[in-house]
Each structure stands twice: as C-alpha cells, then as structure tokens.
Amino acid sequence: WPLVSSTAPPPPQPPLEQEPGLNRSYSLRSSLTMSALESIKNQLSVCEAQSQSLKMPEDRDQLAAIYGKVERMLMQDIDGVATSELTSGQRDARSERKALVHRAEALLTCLAELQQSKAPLDEAPVTELEQPPSAQEVRFDEDYEPNSQPLVHRAYSKASIRTLETIEALNNEMHSLEVAASRCTPGDPRHKDEIAQLYGTVDRLLTRRIDAVATSELHSGQEDAKVQRKELVRRGNKLLDQLEDLKGQIA
C-alpha cells in the first residue's frame, strides 16, 4: 500500500447504511439526525488528523485555528443536535452524540496542553484569586447548595465574570431539576407526565442554553469557565439518563 501523508484527509467512510449505529427502521427524523452526527464525526476526524502533525511553536496559528473549529463544533454543531423528540433512534442518537462530545473535549484538552507547553512567560495564568470559595470551586453533585452571592474575582475580566455568573445561574436551575427528579417515584404512573416534562426541560437546558455559553474568547477566566461548563454538561447528561430510566420503569 502507498504511504499516506500526515496531512491527507482520512479515508472515505462507508455508506451510512453500513454503519452499525444506523437502522433502516428509523423514522425520517431519526435518520436525518444520525446522518448529521455522522457528518460531524467525519469533520472531527479531520481535525484529529491535522492535530497529529502540529509542531510548536511554528504551528501556533494553525493550532489556534483547529482549536476554534473544534470548540465551535462542540458548542454549535454537536450541541445543536436535539434528541428529546426522537422516537425510533433516540437511544442511538444520544449515544453517538455523547461519544462525539467526549472526543471533541479530549481533543480540546490535548490542544490546550500543547499550546500551554510552549506559551511565553507573559501568558502564565493568574494565580492570585480573590473570590468566595463557592465561586472559586463549585462542586456539581447531589450535595450542591445553590449560591446566591455575586461572583467576585478581581483577576477576572468583565466578560469572564459575566460568563461565570451565567454558568452559576444555569447550575442553580440544574440543581432545581435534579431535586424535582429525585421526588419522582420509580414505576409510579402518576409521575409519567412530570418525568416527560423534566426530560424536555433538561434537554433544552443542555442543547440551547448551556451549549450557548462561549468560552473561546475568554482569557482570565477561560479555564474556570470551561471546567464548570463541562461539569454542568456532565450533570445534565446524567440527569437525562436517570429520567430515561424512570420513564422506562413505568409500564
């Protein structure tokens, strides 16, 4: 076989009908959703291949371009794929979407580490923090208590403060939804409508509002915002899984 250049595009993918995740019994809407996910997967594969040939510091501009493309792909393309209204292909679409989120986040992490390993000294992150502990390190779990105090951080820019405050507000909403879901009794048909409504609300919170939180143009608070947003997405997906299990337990 001839050698393939490191900059060459990945080999063509087999037709969609041959993909194990696709099923001819899908509805038209589910088929279109799976096709959109397959297209995003191919674009992500190209970015992964391009990142393998980067050499620092001469390829710093190309690295930044790939990073921006992958982040837009994660926050707009992948997060724009709605699955809550699907029927025949909902489970497969959600599985494919989660896998793409994982791949994109892993690639962003690798690119960020590569960029930071060659960052000039004057771009070193700020280490002096002056903010309430609840804003400095927010834990997203069952024991989380909503924080009503304003975010204060003298090292953050105004844009970073606004973004982190938005994430904090979304986090409070997610906590309220988690509490509501915990009150639904497994197998109780009286909670069927409530579970369906909660599922739709969480899905919209993930795909429209959380995914609309941009971090690529932040500087002082970019890393904190990315970590908190990623954890919020994790909690949302976990809650969707729990609600789906509750829905399946109702005869």
Side-chain angles (χ1 to χ4, degrees), residues 37-66:
L37 290 169
E38 180 67 19
S39 176
I40 297 171
K41 186 198 300 184
N42 291 338
Q43 295 177 50
L44 186 58
S45 296
V46 172
C47 291
E48 289 171 334
Q50 291 174 340
S51 67
Q52 296 297 320
S53 61
L54 293 175
K55 295 180 180 180
M56 300 299 287
E58 55 266 30
D59 291 335
R60 183 179 297 277
D61 291 342
Q62 185 180 357
L63 184 151
I66 295 175

Side-chain angles (χ1 to χ4, degrees), residues 77-107:
D77 299 338
I78 299 176
D79 293 339
V81 177
T83 62
S84 61
E85 296 182 359
L86 300 181
T87 51
S88 57
Q90 184 185 71
R91 184 177 294 274
D92 287 343
R94 286 190 59 202
S95 177
E96 289 289 333
R97 184 175 178 273
K98 285 184 180 180
L100 286 176
V101 169
H102 177 75
R103 284 177 58 186
E105 289 178 341
L107 181 54

Side-chain angles (χ1 to χ4, degrees), residues 74 79 101-110 140 167 174 206 210-211 213 215 222-238:
L74 177 63
D79 293 339
V101 169
H102 177 75
R103 284 177 58 186
E105 289 178 341
L107 181 54
L108 287 176
T109 299
C110 291
F140 300 83
I167 293 175
M174 184 68 72
L206 273 172
I210 297 176
D211 295 340
V213 177
T215 62
Q222 183 184 68
E223 192 62 30
D224 289 343
K226 284 176 60 179
V227 169
Q228 294 183 24
R229 180 182 177 276
K230 180 178 179 180
E231 184 64 14
L232 192 53
V233 169
R234 183 194 67 79
R235 282 177 62 201
N237 284 323
K238 179 181 178 181

Side-chain angles (χ1 to χ4, degrees), residues 65-205:
I66 295 175
Y67 189 98
K69 183 176 181 179
V70 175
E71 188 167 48
R72 287 191 298 273
M73 197 181 302
L74 177 63
M75 298 177 61
Q76 298 176 13
D77 299 338
I78 299 176
D79 293 339
V81 177
T83 62
S84 61
E85 296 182 359
L86 300 181
T87 51
S88 57
Q90 184 185 71
R91 184 177 294 274
D92 287 343
R94 286 190 59 202
S95 177
E96 289 289 333
R97 184 175 178 273
K98 285 184 180 180
L100 286 176
V101 169
H102 177 75
R103 284 177 58 186
E105 289 178 341
L107 181 54
L108 287 176
T109 299
C110 291
L111 291 172
E113 291 176 351
L114 180 60
Q115 185 178 36
Q116 292 175 3
S117 66
K118 299 294 182 179
L121 293 178
D122 59 0
E123 293 183 9
V126 177
T127 56
E128 294 296 329
L129 304 179
E130 294 187 11
Q131 64 179 31
S134 56
Q136 181 178 356
E137 183 178 1
V138 178
R139 296 188 179 276
F140 300 83
D141 52 32
E142 292 78 1
D143 298 327
Y144 170 78
E145 292 295 337
N147 176 29
S148 60
Q149 297 180 354
L151 183 68
V152 178
H153 193 324
R154 281 197 255 176
Y156 284 160
S157 66
K158 291 182 178 180
S160 292
I161 291 176
R162 285 195 297 268
T163 299
L164 288 167
E165 287 177 341
T166 298
I167 293 175
E168 180 67 17
L170 293 170
N171 182 57
N172 291 343
E173 290 187 44
M174 184 68 72
H175 175 71
S176 298
L177 293 170
E178 289 169 335
V179 171
S182 69
R183 294 171 179 164
C184 294
T185 305
D188 190 340
R190 293 176 299 178
H191 293 152
K192 181 178 180 180
D193 291 341
E194 183 180 358
I195 292 171
Q197 291 175 359
L198 283 172
Y199 190 99
T201 301
V202 175
D203 190 65
R204 287 191 296 273
L205 189 66

